[in-house]
Amino acid sequence: MIATIRNRELGIFELLSFGWNIFINNLDAILMIIFLIDLPVSLFSTIAQTLDYREIPIPIVINILISYTLCLSGMAVIFLAEQYISNEKIQYSKALKKSFSRLGFGWAAGFKSSWIVLFLLFFFIIPGIIYWIKYYFVFHACILREKGSTSALAYSSSLVKGRLFRSFFTIISLIFIIFLPAILVNICLSYLLPQNSEILYTNLVYNVLFEMIFMLAFYFFTVVNTVFFLNLDYRK
């Protein structure tokens, strides 16, 4: 696997194939990360919205928590995937420890890149899309190449230099292929188990099912993106 990733450009289906192999072989660790990090925040969000606590700015608290947890768990899965590609299967605890040590840099890089992209998208659509692609790998740069928040932006940009259109096509294709089935499943679930804003139990059950499906799709997407990152990085 590592030799193929190093030596030639991978197509979309090769990225998916390698990513699926890595995802399945690390599913136990990924599930532990979901149960320990993502689900508790999701459940807190559901309870807070259902009980409607107006005394504190709950939406702000939830958004901050979600941004931190996604950064922490996302970078942990990136590290899991990279280590497996390098022929070392690690435990979820080691991945989380590594991710936690880079959390500040990763969150800052994500914050900076997000605001730059959002600003450009709001005023200038095409430059916004270009910078979205350029800053696409900032989390990978922070966790795998130990870059700071600012240098991660430059490192990510260097990977897609001269490959913007191909990278854009690859990313959009992966988003469509991976997330469309998850969205369709969740739409079916919404008809089978309709939410009621006043019933906490129903909300929790639905939210757990929705969260599991979405997070599994998201982390499969993260693993595939890690293969994509390494394929670009090794050949730049």
Side-chain angles (χ1 to χ4, degrees):
M1 183 187 298
I2 187 67
T4 305
I5 293 172
R6 281 180 179 273
N7 295 328
R8 65 180 178 83
E9 184 174 3
L10 300 179
I12 291 170
F13 292 104
E14 287 177 304
L15 292 172
L16 288 166
S17 177
F18 282 132
W20 181 254
N21 177 265
I22 298 163
F23 178 76
I24 289 299
N25 283 287
N26 290 276
L27 186 57
D28 54 342
I30 291 172
L31 286 172
M32 286 301 298
I33 290 171
I34 292 173
F35 284 124
L36 290 173
I37 306 297
D38 298 303
L39 274 183
V41 173
S42 178
L43 292 175
F44 169 74
S45 172
T46 302
I47 293 170
Q49 291 172 9
T50 302
L51 298 181
D52 194 20
Y53 287 133
R54 299 184 182 276
E55 297 84 10
I56 59 173
I58 286 292
I60 297 175
V61 173
I62 290 172
N63 288 333
I64 293 173
L65 276 173
I66 289 174
S67 67
Y68 268 100
T69 54
L70 277 178
C71 184
L72 176 64
S73 53
M75 291 199 301
V77 172
I78 290 170
F79 188 64
L80 270 174
E82 190 267 346
Q83 290 293 288
Y84 187 82
I85 291 169
S86 301
N87 298 315
E88 184 182 355
K89 190 176 189 302
I90 63 172
Q91 297 294 315
Y92 72 91
S93 55
K94 183 176 180 180
L96 284 173
K97 182 179 179 180
K98 173 68 175 180
S99 180
F100 189 77
S101 72
R102 304 295 302 168
L103 180 59
F105 296 106
W107 189 86
F111 181 81
K112 291 177 183 178
S113 61
S114 296
W115 277 105
I116 292 171
V117 170
L118 286 172
F119 175 81
L120 290 172
L121 281 173
F122 186 79
F123 291 103
F124 318 100
I125 302 297
I126 300 301
I129 295 172
I130 291 172
Y131 272 83
W132 173 56
I133 301 300
K134 290 178 70 172
Y135 294 158
Y136 190 74
F137 295 110
V138 292
F139 296 109
H140 296 78
C142 285
I143 186 76
L144 300 183
R145 298 299 178 258
E146 307 242 330
K147 298 296 180 181
S149 60
T150 302
S151 57
L153 304 183
Y155 195 90
S156 178
S157 298
S158 70
L159 293 181
V160 297
K161 187 177 181 180
R163 304 186 182 100
L164 279 173
F165 179 77
R166 186 174 184 86
S167 297
F168 175 76
F169 175 76
T170 299
I171 293 166
I172 293 299
S173 298
L174 292 175
I175 290 172
F176 181 81
I177 292 169
I178 294 172
F179 286 105
L180 181 60
I183 292 170
L184 292 176
V185 170
N186 280 317
I187 289 173
C188 292
L189 280 176
S190 68
Y191 285 103
L192 294 173
L193 186 61
Q195 280 187 292
N196 187 325
S197 60
E198 297 179 357
I199 302 176
L200 180 60
Y201 174 76
T202 303
N203 280 352
L204 289 175
V205 171
Y206 177 81
N207 199 67
V208 168
L209 290 173
F210 177 87
E211 187 76 9
M212 285 300 300
I213 293 167
F214 175 77
M215 294 313 299
L216 286 172
F218 175 75
Y219 289 129
F220 175 44
F221 182 67
T222 300
V223 169
V224 174
N225 277 325
T226 303
V227 179
F228 188 26
F229 167 84
L230 293 173
N231 187 230
L232 291 173
D233 194 43
Y234 287 140
R235 298 182 307 105
K236 70 175 182 178

